[in-house]
Amino acid sequence: MNQSLPPAALNSLRSGPTDRGRFGAYGGRFVAETLMPLVLAVEQAYAEAKVDPEFQADLKSHLTHYVGRPSPLWFAKRLTERLGGAKVYFKRDELNHTGSHKANNCMGQILLARRMGKTRIIAETGAGQHGVATATMCALFGLPCTVYMGATDVERQAPNVFRMKLLGAEVKAVTSGAGTLKDAMNEAMRDWVANVEDTFYIIGTVAGPHPYPMMVRDFQSVIGEEAKVQMREAEGRLPDVCVACIGGGSNAMGLFHPFLDDSSVRLIGVEAGGHGIETGQHAASLTGGRPGVLHGNRTYLLQDDDGQIIEAHSISAGLDYPGIGPEHSWLHDIGRVEYVSATDNEALAAFQLCTQTEGIIPALEPAHALAYVTKLAPTMDKDKIILMNLCGRGDKDIATVAAHLGMKL
Amino acid sequence: MSRISARFAKLRAEGRGALIPFVEAWDPDGPTSMALLRGMPAAGADLIEIGIPFTDPMADGPIIQAAARRALLAGVKLRFVLDMVRAFRLEDADTPIILMGYLNPILSYGVQKFCEDSAKAGVDGFIIVDLPTEEADLMLPHTNANGLDFIRLIAPTTDDQRLPHVLNGSSGFVYYVSITGITGTRSASSSDLAAAIPRVRKVTDLPIAIGFGVRTPAQAAEASRVADAAVVASALIETMAGNLDADGKAKPGTVEKILAQVRALADGVRGKGAAA
Ligand SMILES: Cc1ncc(COP(=O)(O)O)c(C=O)c1O
């Protein structure tokens, strides 16, 4: 007899996607026929791995002993005092090996690639964090690795380019478009089409064709699951608000997903406001875009009246993407998650505040989340709790920040 | 009978395959691409594919990417592509026109409206690269309602088990993507094609066109012999790209040069000239 789902699961916001990879009207598998059989193979392999205790144990072991999980939960006391309102906690995913949350997903996907017998890995990268994490896992398992990176990003994230090369990866600079993350993803997909036999494409965020948005979300959900337990230990209750920055949306989805059914918890995603939404130079797909299809899924996109994709702008290479994961589009439409934005300048100010009050140099990406926290916390009572995903460390951004502060390194 | 079926029936009676040249709409500008389109039937095009420019053509190599970029710089809009077809139809009632592109500009235009307006303009079918069978229900009701063919793509990765699924309910012709790769990079070998096409034939009675990597009259001749049609795109666009002046305008005689290339390809397909 089939066991029927408990009533709670029927109302759960965590049951998506459908078997067509849909979250409401978003998601799907909009890829060329050449790739379709590969995408279906990844879906099948992941479905099997997901319920295989051996795979899960292997993943857990690697996350524990190599990535360094669980990451700590840190009460940012001096920052809290400075802001004068709600208590601010950081989920310290910047302490993962390779310096960001990207490692959680890369470890999951490379174990899957090995299980599928794939012998070559490709990836796209914006800030270079996903590229570094991928190159790292490839070094660990002895697999050749090619990383596509926009030419603009190669320049502004030079330390990460060097790290990838040291790790043995080939870094290919992509000059099409604005030379940022979108163009890198196009090029990675082109590589995949041309190397279908041996290659596994490790997508770095909750975007791309089904099953990637689901799979990357699952691998990143370890963030929210740990945080939930740690929060109960620290405060005996759940936070009132969770805040995370959004490029493609993987660190945010990883934090939010375990909280989706906890209706007392407000969830806030912070998009990159660039020079300001009103200037048109930003990367806020939900705030400033509309639904369309790019990179294999239906989602909110920055696009013109004729459906041509508009280049995003952000000081942070990791947020500089004109789309967003499809599950976020759905959560936006149903109103479960609030999406706001922070500008380049606000992020720069938050970057410095975090460094000076907590002794933590954040990546420019989570500095966007922090920028919003600095506005939100003072409006909340002192017994309220904000949990923010500090998803990456800022070493890679030192040169960018110095340039904006008018300093020479 | 649709224009596409009628054309393939006529060619079958003549005992030869079809040449399907490709023109990127508005590359490098509206008038030049219109002149090229107009000249193609007389140069020997049996059917014509018009490319809809898109900022992110994921299945295309550098040659077609650059063509799309030129067209977008020239200010092309999706409705201008339909304008081209409308103008073409004033002079040519028989040569089938297939629009090839990516989904997002069509979504933005509105799928239903686009199908209606395309049919009215004289379009015969669509090839939408990023709309696989799994997602085709988005468009099929509207192509069917407007008498348009939704051309299916088959790739070397489409295995025998998947073939019937992809071809279920297909019409017009079948487009065989002859390589695993992007446009304008490499060509399939004769033995690859000889193995692949019978595999597809087992599942469909529709004509089969071979595209991706068909460049020369000899390759076009072979493709149209092994299958039923040869699609040539990058080789023609390369000629365009090689004949632009410093301002990105086509030099005098460029359209004629490309049409001469089409003529040579057509001779190949017809078993004439050096290629045969
Ligand atoms: C530290 C960090 N945070 C956030 C992002 C944005 O990605 P996502 O929205 O998928 O978390 C990146 C991407 O490079 C990153 O490096």
Side-chain angles (χ1 to χ4, degrees):
Chain A
M1 202 182 85
N2 272 344
Q3 260 191 309
S4 59
L5 290 167
L10 292 175
N11 298 323
S12 174
L13 297 175
R14 303 185 63 191
S15 55
T18 66
D19 55 8
R20 290 184 65 179
R22 300 290 173 90
F23 303 93
Y26 304 102
R29 291 177 286 223
F30 295 89
V31 295
E33 173 60 21
T34 314
L35 283 184
M36 198 65 205
L38 281 78
V39 164
L40 293 172
V42 173
E43 181 184 342
Q44 163 122 33
Y46 178 60
E48 287 163 12
K50 192 173 176 171
V51 295
D52 179 351
E54 214 170 295
F55 177 85
Q56 292 299 341
D58 194 25
L59 175 59
K60 181 144 203 294
S61 164
H62 278 93
L63 287 179
T64 304
H65 303 291
Y66 190 74
V67 175
R69 302 212 68 93
S71 69
L73 180 75
W74 172 247
F75 172 45
K77 188 155 171 287
R78 291 193 67 224
L79 179 72
T80 298
E81 282 164 6
R82 177 76 72 90
L83 297 176
K87 290 171 108 170
V88 179
Y89 278 85
F90 290 156
K91 179 62 176 161
R92 307 248 350 239
D93 255 53
E94 101 281 10
L95 291 175
N96 291 336
H97 182 41
T98 75
S100 80
H101 68 291
K102 300 289 180 185
N104 307 329
N105 169 47
C106 285
M107 186 55 86
Q109 285 197 51
I110 203 157
L111 293 179
L112 184 66
R114 278 160 55 85
R115 193 181 156 99
M116 292 176 74
K118 299 293 180 180
T119 54
R120 174 178 177 262
I121 301 292
I122 58 170
E124 85 294 338
T125 197
Q129 289 303 101
H130 175 59
V132 167
T134 305
T136 298
M137 304 316 165
C138 286
L140 176 66
F141 291 109
L143 293 175
C145 175
T146 300
V147 178
Y148 290 91
M149 188 170 189
T152 306
D153 293 338
V154 166
E155 214 159 289
R156 62 176 161 171
Q157 304 283 311
N160 272 347
V161 175
F162 187 57
R163 286 166 82 195
M164 285 185 268
K165 288 183 178 164
L166 283 175
L167 289 159
E170 176 191 24
V171 180
K172 288 201 173 166
V174 178
T175 53
S176 60
T180 58
L181 185 51
K182 163 179 85 84
D183 312 296
M185 194 145 179
N186 287 336
E187 218 46 44
M189 289 218 164
R190 291 182 183 120
D191 180 311
W192 202 22
V193 167
N195 297 285
V196 295
E197 289 303 324
D198 62 347
T199 298
F200 189 98
Y201 179 15
I202 300 190
I203 296 182
T205 191
V206 284
H210 178 64
Y212 282 95
M214 168 184 78
M215 178 167 70
V216 177
R217 173 201 73 196
D218 291 350
F219 289 141
Q220 292 293 4
S221 289
V222 65
I223 300 172
E225 272 149 22
E226 285 174 8
K228 227 171 166 171
V229 174
Q230 291 167 322
M231 207 74 230
R232 283 213 171 92
E233 281 167 10
E235 294 277 352
R237 67 181 186 90
L238 296 181
D240 298 288
V241 187
C242 292
V243 183
C245 68
I246 304 230
S250 69
N251 88 83
M253 194 54 70
L255 179 65
F256 295 168
H257 199 258
F259 290 99
L260 283 181
D261 290 333
D262 299 297
S263 57
S264 68
V265 182
R266 264 178 86 188
L267 304 173
I268 303 177
V270 185
E271 298 190 292
H275 295 317
I277 303 294
E278 67 291 348
T279 66
Q281 291 184 301
H282 59 82
S285 331
L286 286 175
T287 313
R290 61 190 173 89
V293 165
L294 180 71
H295 294 153
N297 68 94
R298 187 160 198 273
T299 194
Y300 278 76
L301 299 171
L302 301 180
Q303 55 182 315
D304 70 12
D305 289 344
D306 215 43
Q308 303 294 343
I309 308 304
I310 295 174
E311 300 293 348
H313 165 81
S314 172
I315 187 174
S316 140
L319 306 185
D320 208 342
Y321 182 66
I324 180 167
E327 194 166 7
H328 284 292
S329 291
W330 173 65
L331 291 167
H332 169 262
D333 280 10
I334 64 169
R336 175 62 186 97
V337 180
E338 301 160 55
Y339 294 89
V340 298
S341 65
T343 65
D344 290 353
N345 285 335
E346 289 169 336
L348 278 165
F351 177 98
Q352 293 170 81
L353 180 68
C354 186
T355 305
Q356 288 158 13
T357 56
E358 295 296 331
I360 298 171
I361 302 178
L364 279 172
E365 290 81 14
H368 285 72
L370 186 60
Y372 189 74
V373 168
T374 64
K375 289 189 200 170
L376 180 66
T379 69
M380 294 171 65
D381 289 340
K382 289 189 171 166
D383 60 349
K384 298 289 184 199
I385 301 168
I386 298 176
L387 167 61
M388 191 199 97
N389 197 5
L390 194 80
C391 58
R393 67 170 191 237
D395 312 45
K396 69 185 177 60
D397 294 314
I398 297 295
T400 305
V401 174
H404 279 267
L405 299 180
M407 287 184 224
K408 256 196 131 90
L409 291 185
Chain B
M1 202 191 294
S2 75
R3 261 188 220 109
I4 293 177
S5 309
R7 179 54 54 105
F8 275 107
K10 176 168 164 277
L11 296 180
R12 201 172 305 120
E14 287 175 24
R16 69 171 176 92
L19 173 67
I20 313 182
F22 176 102
V23 52
E24 181 84 351
W26 278 60
D27 173 28
D29 51 47
T32 307
S33 66
M34 191 64 221
L36 190 54
L37 176 63
R38 270 206 179 97
M40 278 184 167
D46 297 304
L47 298 82
I48 301 172
E49 258 185 45
I50 301 180
I52 302 173
F54 183 50
T55 40
D56 297 84
M58 269 172 312
D60 288 304
I63 298 165
I64 297 184
Q65 286 176 43
R69 203 151 50 237
R70 290 191 292 270
L72 290 167
L73 267 176
V76 67
K77 304 278 175 214
L78 187 49
R79 60 178 189 280
F80 299 170
V81 181
L82 297 184
D83 290 344
M84 284 178 70
V85 179
R86 214 170 284 120
F88 177 83
R89 281 279 170 251
L90 295 177
E91 301 162 12
D92 187 316
D94 303 320
T95 307
I97 298 272
I98 297 107
L99 300 186
M100 178 158 188
Y102 294 81
L103 183 59
N104 201 52
I106 296 169
L107 278 182
S108 182
Y109 190 101
V111 173
Q112 181 174 352
K113 185 167 172 347
F114 185 68
C115 290
E116 290 166 1
D117 291 356
S118 292
K120 274 187 224 148
V123 172
D124 300 288
F126 300 138
I127 299 172
I128 315 289
V129 178
D130 53 353
L131 195 61
T133 292
E134 275 72 7
E135 303 288 351
D137 56 348
L138 184 91
M139 198 147 194
L140 279 175
H142 305 295
T143 47
N144 288 338
N146 289 284
L148 295 160
D149 288 320
F150 183 83
I151 314 277
R152 308 298 167 90
L153 295 157
I154 296 288
T157 49
T158 315
D159 65 18
D160 289 343
Q161 202 188 339
R162 182 170 163 76
L163 266 172
H165 171 61
V166 176
L167 292 176
N168 185 23
S170 62
S171 61
F173 62 92
V174 174
Y175 190 123
Y176 183 70
V177 176
S178 66
I179 54 160
T180 52
I182 52 178
T183 55
T185 48
R186 55 198 179 85
S187 305
S189 69
S190 301
S191 58
D192 283 348
L193 293 180
I197 300 304
R199 201 163 71 78
V200 184
R201 284 244 196 265
K202 256 189 247 159
V203 189
T204 182
D205 295 329
L206 291 173
I208 302 168
I210 294 178
F212 284 48
V214 183
R215 303 181 53 84
T216 65
Q219 286 170 332
E222 184 186 22
S224 70
R225 205 165 45 233
V226 177
D228 305 294
V231 181
V232 181
S234 295
L236 299 175
I237 293 175
E238 231 166 35
T239 306
M240 177 70 81
N243 286 276
L244 300 174
D245 65 20
D247 298 326
K249 293 279 163 215
K251 291 179 190 159
T254 300
V255 169
E256 290 69 23
K257 241 185 220 173
I258 299 169
L259 290 177
Q261 204 177 347
V262 172
R263 211 164 284 120
L265 291 161
D267 283 348
V269 167
R270 286 168 169 78
K272 287 193 275 188

